[in-house]
Amino acid sequence: MKPETVKKLRENFEQMVVYKDLSKSAFFSTLNLPSFTRDWLLSHFATETGEPDYGAVNDFVKRFIPRPSEWTGVKASIIKDYERVKLLAKLVVRIDVGSGEASFALPDYGLDAKETIIEDDVWQRHKDQLLAGREIWGMIELGYRTPENANSRDKKGKIKLTQFRSFRPYPDLDLEYYKEMREDFGLDEWIEILLGAVDYNAGGYPEPEQRMTMLTRLLPFVEKRLNLIELAPKGTGKSYLFGRVSRYGWLSSGGKMTRAKMFYDISRRERGLVSNYDYIALDEVQTISFGDVDEMRAALKGYMESGVITIGNWQGEASSGIILCGNISQEAMERQSHMVIFQELPEIFHESALIDRFHGFIQGRDIPRMTDDMKIRGWALSSEYFCSVLHELREDSSYRAIVDALVAVPENADTRDTEAVKRIATAYLKLLYPNVRRPEDIKPYEFNKNCLNRARTMRAVIKNQLGLMDKEFEGKEVPHFTVNDYTSHDA
């Protein structure tokens, strides 16, 4: 990043900027922290030059972020020594219908909700924060409720929550300020800033298309119910970006994914993942099993079409996007125009009606294998701040109204094609041009090149694969959308 760009970035965003050096990532990688927690530590324990004070960071981590292997010792301190222990951890709240009691789980430490309790006085003090999401990060204080102090219904000792403070480094997020600051940067500068915000060095990607393809992975961060597929060679950073950068997303790698886990658990009367996260990324999707394939496929088709979940007599809505990530050889990627590469996906996705509900395809072949040169080293937006901005932008429907005004849809255009292209174009607009408030604010050429045409290209891969999979789609192409010119109407 050029010195003048860095200067503007630091002046405009001030406390939202941290010094990142992932080329020296051994220290933080051993801590196994997500990017948003790491950036908070960087901002709080930095020297005047921005370099982290590793001694102070290490002391904080030792005190408040124990390793999973140290959990038995922590538990002993709570139960045997009756100590109050403070942790910075991820917490999941449970409400038991039968008993009316609230409890919690610490998934990173294997602490189950059956072993815990949130007593009524603590619940009343902290319930607003505790109900902020399915999984919430916070500074928690734990104590022990002995069997003697348990209620008459439950004479078991339990770990109790005594204090909770939500981990929200940017509670008063000024979204309008972020939009306005975009005006001070050219597009190339802004792309560098976006990549740095998610820990990548734009200079490590010499080709502009490589940079843009990396940013394509961020589209589900900023747009509701955006469903994408990415098949790419190994080692291009899929798992890291979807699983370690944002606390608003969920990455599932291998194992089993059921309808109950993803959509709604009838026995627990509990909403699934799609109701609690901005996106669900199924990483290494070839290794995931889906239980009852027909049941899961039907649930996916219904949800991906309308955002409505219907399980038995229960119905609800959600806004999470579904992302499939898988590894594929470079040779197979090069043959995608005449080879059904979606056969690499599990059997559940071998049906054209389901594939048609995915909006676009990320060209993973355009992303080189990760090297140290591609990791950020310098000043960048905090990942927590940036991902919080993207999370808030999901709620801003004004961008879709702008896209609706700008895009001219040809007659007889397929509805799913139109919706897919518009949804992807809207996500690009939010990401690249958050300062745009009216159709007149963006040049038709720029919108076509950087938003609409990219959206059409992403949808075209899905359409091509559908034609190879199913004769019904053979020979059908994505409509040729054009851009309405509003620039002549400027006042």
Side-chain angles (χ1 to χ4, degrees):
M1 195 180 295
K2 294 179 180 178
E4 54 267 31
T5 304
V6 173
K7 185 173 183 291
K8 287 191 293 183
L9 177 66
R10 294 188 66 188
E11 287 176 349
N12 288 2
F13 287 100
E14 297 179 340
Q15 296 180 1
M16 287 79 86
V17 175
V18 295
Y19 190 91
K20 304 180 187 183
D21 188 354
L22 268 67
S23 64
K24 299 177 182 177
S25 58
F27 175 83
F28 281 105
S29 64
T30 59
L31 302 180
N32 196 32
L33 299 175
S35 296
F36 55 86
T37 306
R38 180 209 63 214
D39 283 1
W40 179 82
L41 291 172
L42 285 173
S43 65
H44 277 68
F45 300 102
T47 64
E48 292 182 0
T49 62
E51 295 280 353
D53 182 338
Y54 289 109
V57 172
N58 197 47
D59 289 344
F60 181 90
V61 170
K62 280 186 176 180
R63 185 177 178 187
F64 297 114
I65 313 178
R67 301 175 190 275
S69 60
E70 299 170 332
W71 174 246
T72 300
V74 174
K75 193 158 58 171
S77 298
I78 298 169
I79 298 172
K80 292 296 186 182
D81 301 330
Y82 299 100
E83 292 182 3
R84 295 285 180 93
V85 174
K86 289 185 177 180
L87 305 171
L88 178 60
K90 179 171 61 180
L91 178 145
V92 179
V93 173
R94 305 286 190 197
I95 307 293
D96 186 85
V97 176
S99 66
E101 289 186 335
S103 60
F104 65 96
L106 301 182
D108 291 340
Y109 297 106
L111 180 66
D112 190 85
K114 295 177 181 178
E115 305 172 279
T116 69
I117 188 74
I118 305 175
E119 293 177 330
D120 288 343
D121 61 326
V122 176
W123 175 260
Q124 291 302 322
R125 288 202 308 271
H126 302 295
K127 64 180 179 180
D128 290 342
Q129 296 181 71
L130 291 169
L131 293 172
R134 184 178 187 272
E135 290 188 341
I136 45 178
W137 279 80
M139 183 63 74
I140 64 177
E141 183 183 77
L142 303 177
Y144 185 56
R145 189 186 76 175
T146 64
E148 293 78 15
N149 291 324
N151 60 39
S152 58
R153 295 191 304 269
D154 182 7
K155 286 297 183 181
K156 294 181 180 178
K158 291 190 175 184
I159 292 176
K160 64 181 180 179
L161 184 71
T162 55
Q163 295 287 338
F164 180 81
R165 189 174 76 249
S166 178
F167 178 80
R168 294 185 64 198
Y170 305 100
D172 301 315
L173 191 70
D174 190 341
L175 197 57
E176 292 304 311
Y177 182 82
Y178 174 85
K179 295 176 181 181
E180 290 171 7
M181 289 304 100
R182 168 65 177 89
E183 299 280 0
D184 288 352
F185 300 93
L187 181 61
D188 290 340
E189 288 181 308
W190 191 245
I191 288 171
E192 288 186 306
I193 289 169
L194 296 179
L195 286 170
V198 291
D199 299 346
Y200 293 107
N201 168 33
Y205 297 88
E207 300 297 328
E209 195 58 37
Q210 294 174 345
R211 300 180 184 186
M212 288 299 294
T213 305
M214 284 295 293
L215 291 181
T216 299
R217 290 174 172 170
L218 292 176
L219 300 184
F221 289 49
V222 79
E223 181 67 9
K224 291 182 179 181
R225 285 184 37 244
L226 187 54
N227 308 314
L228 301 176
I229 300 174
E230 178 179 1
L231 297 178
K234 296 178 181 178
T236 60
K238 298 187 297 296
S239 303
Y240 181 81
L241 188 58
F242 289 122
R244 305 295 295 171
V245 173
S246 174
R247 63 189 171 101
Y248 298 104
W250 175 275
L251 180 78
S252 179
S253 299
K256 186 175 183 178
M257 180 60 70
T258 64
R259 186 182 69 173
K261 183 177 181 180
M262 180 168 278
F263 295 108
Y264 183 75
D265 190 321
I266 296 176
S267 61
R268 291 185 174 182
R269 288 187 276 186
E270 187 176 271
R271 284 174 172 264
L273 295 171
V274 296
S275 297
N276 294 288
Y277 295 96
D278 289 355
Y279 62 84
I280 309 300
L282 303 180
D283 193 26
E284 299 184 9
V285 67
Q286 295 99 323
T287 67
I288 296 177
S289 62
F290 291 90
D292 188 320
V293 169
D294 292 335
E295 178 184 84
M296 189 66 169
R297 183 185 285 150
L300 279 167
K301 285 195 292 188
Y303 171 72
M304 292 171 69
E305 180 71 16
S306 62
V308 174
I309 308 163
T310 303
I311 308 292
N313 295 323
W314 184 87
Q315 188 174 86
E317 295 183 0
S319 61
S320 178
I322 306 294
I323 308 164
L324 306 184
C325 297
N327 296 323
I328 191 172
S329 69
Q330 188 69 33
E331 179 185 3
M333 286 294 297
E334 298 297 337
R335 299 171 60 193
Q336 64 179 267
S337 62
H338 57 277
M339 172 182 174
V340 186
I341 60 171
F342 288 176
Q343 285 181 338
E344 300 281 339
L345 299 171
E347 179 190 353
I348 187 174
F349 300 106
H350 290 182
E351 182 188 272
S352 59
L354 179 53
I355 291 296
D356 195 23
R357 286 162 167 80
F358 283 93
H359 298 115
F361 183 80
I362 302 173
Q363 288 286 6
R365 65 182 180 184
D366 293 333
I367 301 174
R369 188 175 176 85
M370 184 60 59
T371 66
D372 283 345
D373 292 340
M374 298 170 184
K375 300 174 183 177
I376 186 68
R377 185 175 61 187
W379 293 98
L381 283 180
S382 157
S383 298
E384 166 65 11
Y385 169 73
F386 178 63
C387 291
S388 295
V389 166
L390 299 189
H391 175 71
E392 293 297 325
L393 282 172
R394 287 166 60 87
E395 300 296 331
D396 194 331
S397 59
S398 66
Y399 295 93
R400 176 56 187 263
I402 293 170
V403 169
D404 285 339
L406 284 170
V407 176
V409 180
E411 290 185 7
N412 301 317
D414 183 273
T415 299
R416 284 194 183 139
D417 290 339
T418 301
E419 179 59 27
V421 169
K422 283 188 173 184
R423 191 165 295 199
I424 295 172
T426 301
Y428 270 122
L429 187 66
K430 291 179 180 179
L431 197 62
L432 301 176
Y433 304 98
N435 54 309
V436 169
R437 310 297 179 92
R438 309 170 302 160
E440 298 92 327
D441 293 342
I442 186 169
K443 296 176 181 178
Y445 168 78
E446 283 196 64
F447 177 76
N448 186 59
K449 177 184 177 184
N450 297 317
C451 302
L452 182 58
N453 192 53
R454 290 188 175 280
R456 188 180 184 278
T457 300
M458 290 177 65
R459 178 61 180 175
V461 177
I462 300 291
K463 201 77 171 183
N464 175 70
Q465 285 290 301
L466 285 170
L468 296 173
M469 294 171 65
D470 187 338
K471 288 185 179 296
E472 180 184 340
F473 293 92
E474 192 173 4
K476 294 183 179 179
E477 297 183 353
V478 179
H480 181 66
F481 301 97
T482 56
V483 182
N484 293 315
D485 188 350
Y486 277 78
T487 55
S488 61
H489 302 303
D490 284 343

